[in-house]
Amino acid sequence: AAGGAAAAEAAAGGEPSAGVMQRHGIPIAMWTAVSLNVAAFFSQGDEGVQILFHLEEFEAPLLSPDTPQERLTERLERVARGAPLNDSLKLALAQSAGLSGRLIDIALGAEPNASQTARNHAAKVVEYICASPPAALLLLERGEHARLVRAVADPDAALYLRKTFAAALCSMAALPEAVPLLAAEGAVGALHAAQASSQAVRRKKVEVALGRLAAAIAARP
């Protein structure tokens, strides 16, 4: 009968409750470990999940200034492939001590050991992180949005960098908490300048974000 109850819960689309697990003598910690491993098994093709399960294997080489160029590029390429559709990975990257700042450093060319390909991957990962509201809020709390604004406003910055960081700012602008912070750093002027600088940077997403920022600023007392 107990087995039938557990099966009924599973059939209903939910996970076994703590009560069911306790009745069967399954510690919650053990159930968590089993669930994670089952998830990993069924997601062998999901790059984001694999990175999340082995995050320390990516954090160390990305944070170290001594990582060989080829290794750095390979790690960044994999993270850039895995992050777009995995919000858990985006948040984990934002929560990792020093990692978001390091990614911005690499994207801005502050890491001499990083190839142009690695810089582009780093910029793209920052964009993906900012697409997750809780992850974007962490970057805002650290003031890292200011560095993105300055890069977008810089006419000498690489076109790809300006376009990618502009997209990151647009994602942030969707958060009510971000509007005054972005406005204070000059995000409106930076995005306008980026839009005017090149047809390649001109995007509908930026126009929407500018409208949202302008409306929010106008509504402030």
Side-chain angles (χ1 to χ4, degrees):
E9 278 195 73
E15 294 183 353
S17 66
V20 170
M21 289 189 288
Q22 288 165 1
R23 287 198 299 273
H24 286 272
I26 305 174
I28 292 176
M30 184 182 295
W31 171 256
T32 301
V34 170
S35 298
L36 289 173
N37 281 292
V38 168
F41 177 79
F42 283 107
S43 59
Q44 291 297 314
D46 187 332
E47 188 95 49
V49 171
Q50 296 306 311
I51 293 170
L52 195 56
F53 272 80
H54 304 282
L55 189 59
E56 69 285 349
E57 296 178 13
F58 291 81
E59 289 172 317
L62 294 182
L63 288 167
S64 174
D66 300 321
T67 303
Q69 185 177 97
E70 186 176 336
R71 174 72 166 166
L72 180 63
T73 301
E74 182 270 336
R75 296 283 89 175
L76 283 166
E77 181 181 7
R78 286 193 59 187
V79 174
R81 284 203 310 264
L85 301 178
N86 194 312
D87 284 344
S88 295
L89 177 56
K90 294 170 192 172
L91 183 57
L93 293 170
Q95 290 173 329
S96 180
L99 186 55
S100 59
R102 173 69 171 160
L103 289 168
I104 296 172
D105 285 342
I106 294 171
L108 292 175
E111 171 51 65
N113 198 36
S115 64
Q116 186 60 55
T117 299
R119 293 173 191 170
N120 290 346
H121 286 321
K124 203 65 181 173
V125 174
V126 172
E127 179 189 345
Y128 294 145
I129 290 173
C130 291
S132 164
L137 286 173
L138 289 176
L139 270 65
L140 283 160
E141 288 172 7
R142 298 182 197 127
E144 290 172 343
H145 61 288
R147 301 180 69 194
L148 306 186
V149 172
R150 288 196 295 271
V152 172
D154 183 0
D156 296 323
L159 187 62
Y160 183 85
L161 178 71
R162 297 182 77 190
K163 181 172 68 173
T164 307
F165 277 4
L169 291 175
C170 290
S171 294
M172 285 182 166
L175 306 173
E177 306 94 325
V179 170
L181 298 173
L182 292 172
E185 294 295 338
V188 173
L191 290 171
H192 268 302
Q195 287 281 80
S197 67
S198 170
Q199 189 65 35
V201 180
R202 197 175 286 274
R203 299 171 78 175
K204 183 66 177 177
K205 183 176 183 178
V206 176
E207 293 177 14
V208 172
L210 281 169
R212 185 183 296 118
L213 284 168
I217 291 168
R220 291 168 65 186

